[in-house]
Amino acid sequence: MATLLVPRARRSPENGPGRALASTRLAVPTGLHTGLGCDAVGVPARFGFKILSRLPAKGCVYADTDWWWWLVPAGSDLDLVWPLPACYARGAEIPDRGPRLIHHPDGTSPYTPPIPLYLLVCQLTGIAPAWPAPQVRSAL
């Protein structure tokens, strides 16, 4: 099973010759409970408003000019392969392109529920959702 990770640091013309794009960890606003740890799911900005408007529950959402990122509980990639072009970032560590918080949740949880987010990303990318079926045993 392949897991999609955050894009690796890359050389960028705006960073000058020979300089890699740095990474940053998304900062959770004060007062929100992160007892489940934090990972992030990113999508290209062209999907951002569609996802934000269709999710029934939303946690913290961050955006820069190229990507939108949703905070999800750590381990939200277990038994899931997030479809391309989505990007899964463990520890909510993403390329530093100046992301800013664009949606603050109403409650005390910073998380977007990962399964509705996964299903919506699959729908928008035209990829069928897939996860392994549980093993079935019979005891006679």
Side-chain angles (χ1 to χ4, degrees):
M1 171 177 61
T3 300
L4 299 178
L5 298 176
V6 68
R8 296 200 185 275
R10 60 180 174 79
R11 300 197 190 289
S12 173
E14 62 268 16
N15 289 343
R19 296 180 62 188
L21 186 63
S23 66
T24 188
R25 190 174 307 271
L26 295 172
V28 179
T30 305
L32 300 182
H33 302 288
T34 58
L36 300 175
C38 284
D39 288 348
V41 175
V43 298
R46 70 181 180 272
F47 295 117
F49 282 115
K50 290 177 186 175
I51 292 173
L52 190 62
S53 67
R54 295 178 185 177
L55 279 172
K58 304 164 201 67
C60 291
V61 181
Y62 303 80
D64 58 46
T65 56
D66 299 319
W67 287 83
W68 285 39
W69 298 91
W70 279 260
L71 284 186
V72 293
S76 294
D77 61 338
L78 293 175
D79 293 331
L80 288 180
V81 177
W82 289 84
L84 290 174
C87 181
Y88 193 85
R90 290 190 179 112
E93 188 170 334
I94 66 168
D96 189 0
R97 295 184 182 106
R100 64 191 189 293
L101 182 68
I102 62 166
H103 181 270
H104 190 289
D106 295 330
T108 59
S109 173
Y111 307 119
T112 294
I115 297 302
L117 178 60
Y118 172 75
L119 293 173
L120 190 51
V121 169
C122 286
Q123 180 185 34
L124 290 174
T125 59
I127 304 295
W131 43 79
Q135 292 182 346
V136 178
R137 297 176 138 204
S138 65
L140 298 175

